[in-house]
Amino acid sequence: MRRANQFWNRLVEIEHKYIETYRSLINENPKILAAQNQIDALIKFRKKLETETKSAHDIHTVAVAKEQIQGVAERINILSIEIKSMRILEKKNNKNNIEINEINRKEAVRLIRKDSGVWWQTAEVAYLRYLDNRQRAMKGGTELRFRSLDADNIQIVNRNRRDLSLDEIFEGKGEFSLTPLPPNAFTHKSKGERRRLQRTQLTLCVYSRRRQPRLVTWPMQMHRPIPDNCTIKYVTVTRKKVGPRTEWKATFTCYCDPEPVLVTSPNATATVTFEPHYFGDCLRVGQVTSSTGDSEWITLPRRELTRFDYVGELIVAQCGARSDLRTALANLEWNNAPEHLQSLWAQIRDAPVSSRWLQRLIQAWPKNDWQDDRRVKFEERFRRDLRNWREITGLRLRLQRARLDHYRKAAHELVHRYGTIIVGDVPSRQCLDQSLRDIDDTKAKTEIRRLQQIAAPGILRQAIIMAARAHHCAIVTSDTPPNER
């Protein structure tokens, strides 16, 4: 884990160096720097006007300030267009230097992959993830981030030396093996009996720090059958910290020929756009418009919205209880506490209250001889916070999985009904924040953010794209090259 973490950070360091060199080549023109400084000054001035508008009580003053804000925004847009055109020209002038910079980046990445000291499967997964995150960062205008070692979250990738069938995996002929399941494990009438029959064991080979192989076995429950006609390439075992508990998950990557899909209208085209809003008792997430002009909506039912509202109420109540608990803890004499407890209290005092830090404090407190009588009074409040934390985490996880299953079913229905699907874009968080600047009502902003969080249109978009690719359905997105559309 430590070497894999260092490997990722070295890749991110190379990427930051590449971006810095690229920006220095593009921004050599003094006109670009001058225009960028003007934009920064205008943005600060606009924030100042927005602050004054919120505190003003005179209607005339507010109207004048809004006119000034609108003028500043127009000026920023004009300067941004000018900078964009100048940067395009600089790219053409510095084309050779930009290509040399890209060659140097690839060579540095190649050397790091060669000398990383990480097991080749783990290094390959980290490199593919680096390429994926790099592409997303370049499109979103962000940068890759360094990672610190997280012992709570672990990912183990075990890859076969050759593609194996399902029978060979059950017989244990590969790098990992499964205990065979009964033939009626997924067809039994009783749901409880199906769950019992789906229990199996996963055994795979992992390597210690000294490169010694170890066979590790996990009890596992298969949620869905693996197709008989597929070949299994590798398995990924992930340990993730979900609230106060640890969740293990095994994902099998299979290669198989897709089954022929009977499309109702193979020549029909559907366009999917995402505009979440309430309509009656449901939440409309995506609008599907066919080539004939008919339209329908992909919705979340009312029962799902009620559950999200209940979880939101629990979160609000827990935040209030945490704040009260922090206020009560602040009355203690932390200057006389042991150094370890002082550091934990500093995390709770200076940052938003987190159940994780509260539980770390209550676990470390009994090990130090300090104000045991006060600790006993706080233990019940800590236990109550832990119970609420577990309940909220479990409910939120179940709701997210139910929403994902609902979106996957809707995506498969689209794939079976249309021959070509055009998928629109989902506005990024930065675009959403920019669109909310003109809204003065804080409650309205909060409701819009909550609506986006519940609807999660990005998950629906990804489910449609994955279903279309799995069934070889024609899919058109903003990322599709023009020659493939």
Side-chain angles (χ1 to χ4, degrees), residues 83-275:
I83 289 177
K84 187 176 181 180
S85 61
M86 287 188 290
R87 282 178 174 170
I88 293 174
L89 183 61
E90 288 294 327
K91 285 181 182 178
K92 293 180 180 179
N93 296 334
N94 295 312
K95 183 178 179 180
N96 295 332
N97 294 331
I98 291 175
E99 290 179 354
I100 293 173
N101 186 29
E102 176 66 17
I103 292 172
N104 293 336
R105 183 194 68 82
K106 291 182 179 180
E107 180 64 19
V109 170
R110 187 187 68 81
L111 293 176
I112 284 183
R113 290 181 65 189
K114 183 179 178 180
D115 303 332
S116 63
V118 184
W119 189 32
W120 70 273
Q121 294 184 3
T122 306
E124 185 69 17
V125 171
Y127 176 68
L128 295 177
R129 189 170 297 171
Y130 157 75
L131 295 179
D132 186 24
N133 292 343
R134 180 175 183 268
Q135 187 177 13
R136 292 180 183 178
M138 292 175 66
K139 291 181 179 179
T142 57
E143 292 183 354
L144 295 178
R145 296 182 179 180
F146 292 100
R147 291 179 181 174
S148 58
L149 182 62
D150 188 1
D152 293 333
N153 301 329
I154 296 178
Q155 187 177 62
I156 304 171
V157 181
N158 198 300
R159 187 168 184 170
N160 282 318
R161 297 177 182 177
R162 62 184 180 89
D163 296 344
L164 299 178
S165 64
L166 184 60
D167 294 335
E168 291 176 323
I169 293 297
F170 283 142
E171 294 173 1
K173 294 183 178 180
E175 297 289 332
F176 53 87
S177 62
L178 283 173
T179 305
L181 295 175
N184 60 341
F186 297 95
T187 58
H188 199 278
K189 295 181 179 180
S190 173
K191 181 179 179 181
E193 189 66 16
R194 288 199 306 269
R195 299 285 286 179
R196 188 185 69 81
L197 295 175
Q198 291 167 6
R199 296 173 183 172
T200 181
Q201 288 185 343
L202 170 65
T203 303
L204 57 83
C205 180
V206 298
Y207 290 86
S208 63
R209 289 185 179 180
R210 297 182 179 180
R211 311 302 301 156
Q212 297 295 325
R214 298 286 186 270
L215 287 178
V216 183
T217 302
W218 286 271
M220 189 181 71
Q221 185 160 5
M222 295 189 66
H223 293 276
R224 63 194 68 182
I226 300 176
D228 295 331
N229 60 342
C230 71
T231 57
I232 303 174
K233 192 67 177 178
Y234 56 89
V235 61
T236 304
V237 179
T238 306
R239 186 181 75 178
K240 184 179 180 182
K241 196 74 173 179
V242 181
R245 61 189 181 88
T246 302
E247 183 183 70
W248 290 84
K249 181 177 67 174
T251 304
F252 294 89
T253 301
C254 310
Y255 296 91
C256 59
D257 296 330
E259 298 179 358
V261 180
L262 181 61
V263 182
T264 307
S265 303
N267 297 326
T269 304
T271 303
V272 185
T273 55
F274 305 96
E275 298 176 359

Side-chain angles (χ1 to χ4, degrees), residues 399-436:
L399 286 176
Q400 291 174 354
R401 288 173 176 171
R403 180 181 60 191
L404 179 60
D405 290 340
H406 181 73
Y407 286 167
R408 283 176 175 172
K409 291 178 182 178
H412 281 282
E413 290 179 2
L414 287 178
V415 170
H416 285 77
R417 289 168 54 190
Y418 299 99
T420 304
I421 300 176
I422 302 173
V423 183
D425 290 333
V426 177
S428 62
R429 189 167 184 176
Q430 295 178 351
C431 296
L432 181 63
D433 294 340
Q434 189 173 3
S435 63
L436 293 178

Side-chain angles (χ1 to χ4, degrees), residues 220-403:
M220 189 181 71
Q221 185 160 5
M222 295 189 66
H223 293 276
R224 63 194 68 182
I226 300 176
D228 295 331
N229 60 342
C230 71
T231 57
I232 303 174
K233 192 67 177 178
Y234 56 89
V235 61
T236 304
V237 179
T238 306
R239 186 181 75 178
K240 184 179 180 182
K241 196 74 173 179
V242 181
R245 61 189 181 88
T246 302
E247 183 183 70
W248 290 84
K249 181 177 67 174
T251 304
F252 294 89
T253 301
C254 310
Y255 296 91
C256 59
D257 296 330
E259 298 179 358
V261 180
L262 181 61
V263 182
T264 307
S265 303
N267 297 326
T269 304
T271 303
V272 185
T273 55
F274 305 96
E275 298 176 359
H277 65 275
Y278 287 106
F279 183 81
D281 293 338
C282 63
L283 175 61
R284 290 179 168 180
V285 183
Q287 184 179 13
V288 182
T289 306
S290 63
S291 55
T292 59
D294 300 331
S295 63
E296 58 179 329
W297 286 88
I298 300 175
T299 62
L300 276 178
R302 182 62 189 173
R303 64 177 181 274
E304 300 294 335
L305 302 180
T306 305
R307 293 170 183 171
F308 275 106
D309 293 339
Y310 175 67
V311 173
E313 293 174 0
L314 291 179
I315 292 174
V316 172
Q318 189 186 28
C319 289
R322 288 175 185 171
S323 300
D324 296 339
L325 182 57
R326 180 169 63 178
T327 304
L329 290 172
N331 297 327
L332 300 179
E333 298 178 357
W334 292 100
N335 295 330
N336 301 327
E339 184 177 356
H340 181 51
L341 294 182
Q342 288 186 18
S343 61
L344 293 175
W345 165 244
Q347 292 287 343
I348 298 172
R349 179 194 59 200
D350 300 334
V353 190
S354 170
S355 292
R356 193 179 302 278
W357 286 106
L358 290 175
Q359 297 307 318
R360 288 180 181 177
L361 177 62
I362 196 59
Q363 291 174 6
W365 200 338
K367 300 177 183 179
N368 298 272
D369 186 13
W370 182 72
Q371 295 193 9
D372 292 337
D373 54 340
R374 304 293 296 274
R375 175 181 58 81
V376 173
K377 295 180 180 179
F378 283 109
E379 280 183 349
E380 178 59 30
R381 301 177 70 174
F382 279 109
R383 283 195 292 266
R384 192 183 307 119
D385 178 77
L386 180 60
R387 287 195 299 269
N388 295 337
W389 190 21
R390 286 174 176 168
E391 181 182 6
I392 292 172
T393 304
L395 287 174
R396 183 186 290 174
L397 190 61
R398 285 195 290 272
L399 286 176
Q400 291 174 354
R401 288 173 176 171
R403 180 181 60 191

